[in-house]
Amino acid sequence: MSKVIKGGTIVTADRQFAGDILIEDGKIAAIGDNLTGDEVIDAEGAYVIPGGIDPHTHLEMPFMGTTADETFESGTWAAATGGTTMLVDFCLPGPDGSIKNAINDWHRKSAPQICSDIGYHMAITGWNESIFNEMKDAVDMGVNSFKHFMAYKGALMVEDDEMYASFSRCKELGALPMVHAENGDIIQELQQKYLAEGITGPEGHAFSRPPELEGEAANRAIMIADAVGTPLYIVHVSCEQAHEAIRRARQKGHRVYGEPLIQFLTLDESEYFNKSWEHAARRVMSPPFRSKAHQDGLWAGLSAGSLQVVATDHCAFGTEKKKMGLNDFTQIPNGTGGLEDRLAVLWTTGVETGRITPEEFVAVTSTNIAKILNIYPQKGALVPGADADIVVWDPKISKTISANSQKSIIDYNVFEGFEVTAQARHTLSRGDVIWSWGKNSAPQPGRGRFVPRPAFSSAGTALSRWKALNTPRKVERDPMNIPSGI
Ligand code: URP
Ligand code: ZN
Ligand code: ZN
Ligand code: ZN
């Protein structure tokens, strides 16, 4: 059965034009005028855009002594209702440290639940010969990006020589290294200092993670990537110091990518001060929300092209779990949410205000990340042959965001009360209409698929012998138990 999306304005990362899209067998078969199909999907008065890709989520992830509450089902469903048709989730090795087992574990959890498509990044949380070897297995299993935590000391943090070795291995395998850029050593010092001064509430989280520590780590990671000769992707860029490092590297011709979050673009540090404990704790994430000046810088980066992707870092813990840190901010599970609202909030605060164009909106929510992660044009593109992950985006449906009406299973929403001016009229995943505004669409767990991402053709030779480290790490790290005060 063919379908045709009729009467809309097609928006790609390059241009807008009136046209119809014919869909056959889950793929775009043709784009043109007056196309016909067995079923008509009405796009009159709406934009037709590639489905959003959120490249940064943590669904059901074990972290800080607990597990993120958003499930693969609720997460992919909430995302789809908001116009996002693919998530790239972070796999974290379990206590056995095995990368291969982590990927299989993520498949076991996600496959029966996902309502739309998913990919994975892999976290590198230590360094030894089996990690070196299993990175190749990960790439063969369709995972071509590896995240390195420069924070969460004693749990997930890697040292500089470990990063150098792992980045080198990425280069050799044609994989993309990513970093969580914050200086974990100094953060630990500052946490101890503020706790000792009796600052135990969520504001201590913001105090102990100043933007300089993010800028320092971003610069360091960029220089290490330069020394190796590899591209680098910096996740959750929150501040001008990190943005400046990215901008400078790009001006010199280095392929460094920066990912601000929709939360960082719209919410600021005032969320932590003079608010109830619950309000502030629900917004505790790393890095923390910054001042308005940093926000302006991030917006400028999106329109100037020095920042390429808007993500959510959706890592949502319900209020009960946040209370683990009631008497000590270092014990509040880190993470916020946003995958359901990313597109609508960015449209309202970005396109409606004239800060970014509709084409830039498509670029930063879908097309750029598909290119960066090597799944373009299967994803992120409206061209014949691409997966028909398409959203009929209606700029005339407004709504007030509220936890009471959201699809996410979390008991709050950091955008509570926001008025958004656009919504997904229809969301299509590989040609299936999985969501229609105002109809009683129901989640279809298990219909989503894992999308393998091939290695980059730019794989090169690199000095990546794991033994190149003179002092292989014997530090015990336990991702489930970030020790008290760290
Ligand atoms: O606070 C955050 N960002 N939690 C999720 C884990 C991470 O660092 O991305
Ligand atoms: Zn319709
Ligand atoms: Zn992170
Ligand atoms: Zn994250």
Side-chain angles (χ1 to χ4, degrees):
M1 250 234 334
S2 64
K3 295 189 180 85
V4 64
I5 303 178
K6 273 199 108 50
T9 300
I10 296 170
V11 186
T12 70
D14 308 311
R15 65 191 182 116
Q16 299 184 34
F17 56 100
D20 303 337
I21 300 184
L22 177 67
I23 298 163
E24 284 171 356
D25 300 325
K27 298 207 179 277
I28 296 177
I31 298 179
D33 295 326
N34 304 316
L35 301 179
T36 53
D38 300 323
E39 191 185 317
V40 172
I41 297 165
D42 145 53
E44 205 67 48
Y47 296 105
V48 180
I49 59 175
I53 301 170
D54 188 340
H56 191 154
T57 67
H58 303 274
L59 302 176
E60 300 181 37
M61 188 177 83
F63 188 49
M64 292 187 73
T66 183
T67 302
D69 285 316
E70 202 76 75
T71 66
F72 285 94
E73 178 177 336
S74 65
T76 51
W77 172 236
T81 67
T84 292
T85 51
M86 180 173 174
L87 307 178
V88 190
D89 200 68
F90 280 90
C91 281
L92 199 59
D96 70 358
S98 165
I99 286 177
K100 240 160 78 175
N101 291 350
I103 295 175
N104 286 328
D105 196 35
W106 249 250
H107 281 323
R108 184 185 54 72
K109 288 189 287 187
S110 73
Q113 295 196 63
I114 49 177
C115 303
S116 54
D117 292 355
I118 198 163
Y120 307 143
H121 310 286
M122 175 54 62
I124 297 296
T125 57
W127 195 247
N128 57 43
E129 191 164 10
S130 79
I131 293 173
F132 173 89
N133 290 330
E134 283 196 310
M135 285 173 79
K136 166 97 172 67
D137 299 321
V139 172
D140 292 343
M141 292 164 92
V143 178
N144 74 0
S145 43
F146 295 91
K147 176 175 177 181
H148 305 75
F149 292 90
M150 301 171 80
Y152 308 124
K153 187 172 176 174
L156 303 171
M157 189 173 109
V158 286
E159 303 291 339
D160 293 350
D161 51 357
E162 296 174 316
M163 271 202 297
Y164 182 84
S166 176
F167 285 15
S168 298
R169 182 62 167 156
C170 287
K171 178 175 179 180
E172 192 170 66
L173 295 171
L176 177 68
M178 315 173 97
V179 286
H180 170 137
E182 283 189 302
N183 184 315
D185 288 318
I186 301 179
I187 286 169
Q188 187 185 35
E189 289 300 314
L190 292 182
Q191 288 176 329
Q192 297 306 329
K193 166 177 138 63
Y194 287 113
L195 285 174
E197 288 174 11
I199 297 174
T200 58
E203 68 279 14
H205 178 77
F207 291 150
S208 61
R209 307 183 94 99
E212 291 79 6
L213 301 190
E214 185 181 338
E216 183 281 324
N219 272 292
R220 181 158 36 103
I222 287 170
M223 293 301 156
I224 293 171
D226 279 358
V228 170
T230 174
L232 178 70
Y233 184 99
I234 305 188
V235 301
H236 47 49
V237 174
S238 76
C239 67
E240 201 42 28
Q241 285 86 340
H243 179 199
E244 174 62 29
I246 295 165
R247 195 161 48 213
R248 196 168 51 236
R250 290 175 66 84
Q251 273 167 357
K252 290 192 173 152
H254 300 299
R255 288 182 186 80
V256 178
Y257 308 107
E259 173 204 84
L261 307 180
I262 187 62
Q263 299 93 320
F264 294 154
L265 290 162
T266 55
L267 301 169
D268 63 60
E269 62 190 358
S270 64
E271 302 284 345
Y272 301 119
F273 305 113
N274 303 316
K275 296 282 194 309
S276 70
W277 187 91
E278 267 95 353
H279 181 103
R282 288 164 171 171
R283 287 152 181 85
V284 161
M285 66 166 301
S286 297
F289 301 165
R290 306 295 191 191
S291 69
K292 297 240 184 268
H294 290 289
Q295 276 184 1
D296 290 343
L298 299 180
W299 279 109
L302 287 183
S303 54
S306 50
L307 299 171
Q308 295 74 38
V309 175
V310 176
T312 64
D313 192 6
H314 191 98
C315 184
F317 299 94
T319 307
E320 275 316 302
K321 289 185 179 170
K322 289 283 185 181
K323 284 184 183 158
M324 291 166 65
L326 205 46
N327 301 313
D328 175 351
F329 67 84
T330 68
Q331 300 301 307
I332 301 172
N334 282 200
T336 58
L339 51 68
E340 187 169 344
D341 307 306
R342 178 181 64 129
L343 264 59
V345 173
L346 186 68
W347 184 272
T348 305
T349 58
V351 179
E352 288 288 339
T353 58
R355 279 163 155 159
I356 58 172
T357 65
E359 290 88 339
E360 286 163 350
F361 173 85
V362 167
V364 302
T365 57
S366 182
T367 306
N368 288 354
I369 192 65
K371 290 179 181 170
I372 292 169
L373 295 182
N374 211 18
I375 45 171
Y376 183 88
Q378 179 191 354
K379 302 291 188 189
L382 297 179
V383 292
D387 283 358
D389 286 5
I390 303 175
V391 173
V392 177
W393 185 248
D394 192 330
K396 293 196 192 68
I397 306 176
S398 55
K399 84 168 192 190
T400 306
I401 294 176
S402 173
N404 294 328
S405 53
Q406 70 187 3
K407 303 292 185 291
S408 159
I409 57 174
I410 307 307
D411 63 338
Y412 57 89
N413 186 314
V414 296
F415 299 116
E416 185 73 33
F418 250 67
E419 303 281 344
V420 289
T421 57
Q423 284 291 301
R425 187 192 293 178
H426 301 289
T427 302
L428 285 78
S429 165
R430 278 178 284 101
D432 296 336
V433 180
I434 58 170
W435 160 259
S436 290
W437 177 265
K439 308 257 160 63
N440 255 338
S441 309
Q444 299 171 52
R447 70 161 296 288
R449 287 190 202 145
F450 173 72
V451 180
R453 296 181 292 111
F456 294 89
S457 56
S458 55
T461 48
L463 284 173
S464 64
R465 306 289 164 267
W466 79 275
K467 296 167 192 89
L469 293 186
N470 293 326
T471 51
R473 291 293 178 270
K474 294 195 181 62
V475 184
E476 285 298 322
R477 295 181 174 89
D478 181 354
M480 283 299 288
N481 282 311
I482 292 187
S484 175
I486 289 183

